[in-house]
Amino acid sequence: MRIGELARKAGTSTRTLRYYESRGLLTARRADNGYREYGEEDLLLLRQIRTLQDFGFDLEETRPFVECLRAGHPAGDSCPASLAVYRRKLDELDGLIDRLAGVRAQVARQLAVAEEVRAPYAAGVDEAPDPPRCEMTG
């Protein structure tokens, strides 16, 4: 199949395919007329790359999966190098989750303090002092 057909089937652009080719992730064969030619195995490679990118993997992190498929394995994650990338990505995600959990806890504490300070005003208590002014809004 030609580059346009492959791009359509893969749900990407011909420009992206040329970029992948320049990065060594996709290899086109050339027809006698010079057109790029691709096979079903190239579509499988592209689907692997796209799936991993949807999961947040950068393009270089997809390389071991592509190489695994090129080596004839039935799945891109059948090789030790691919498993190592999965492990690194999980460690990265765990770190992000930990940082987000910390930020969430800080925001929850700040909300609790703000609600406690604001409670008399929200209840309409007449004798409540003027609310504190927000430093950000003046």
Side-chain angles (χ1 to χ4, degrees):
M1 79 187 87
R2 287 204 215 153
I3 193 167
E5 182 182 354
L6 179 62
R8 265 190 314 284
K9 285 184 175 184
T12 192
S13 68
T14 57
R15 182 177 179 186
T16 298
L17 298 183
R18 286 186 198 99
Y19 178 70
Y20 291 170
E21 189 176 331
S22 75
R23 299 293 308 250
L25 292 170
L26 189 61
T27 305
R29 291 158 298 287
R30 295 288 180 160
D32 291 339
N33 60 8
Y35 290 150
R36 288 174 169 87
E37 298 254 331
Y38 299 94
E40 289 298 318
E41 68 279 0
D42 296 307
L43 183 57
L44 182 63
L45 291 177
L46 287 171
R47 287 184 174 148
Q48 178 75 77
I49 292 168
R50 299 262 331 229
T51 297
L52 292 169
Q53 287 190 308
D54 288 347
F55 291 160
F57 287 67
D58 65 38
L59 193 55
E60 196 56 36
E61 288 173 318
T62 69
R63 188 172 300 280
F65 298 85
V66 169
E67 290 171 356
C68 190
L69 285 169
R70 279 189 183 148
H73 294 275
D77 57 8
S78 304
C79 299
S82 303
L83 299 177
V85 173
Y86 274 153
R87 287 186 192 98
R88 281 193 305 271
K89 184 54 78 174
L90 283 175
D91 287 345
E92 178 185 321
L93 291 170
D94 287 341
L96 289 170
I97 290 167
D98 290 345
R99 283 197 300 270
L100 282 173
V103 169
R104 189 197 184 288
Q106 287 177 318
V107 170
R109 282 192 299 273
Q110 191 63 34
L111 173 61
V113 168
E115 287 177 334
E116 186 177 310
V117 169
R118 187 75 179 136
Y121 310 107
V125 176
D126 292 333
E127 63 273 0
D130 288 336
R133 293 172 47 123
C134 177
E135 293 177 14
M136 300 290 286
T137 60

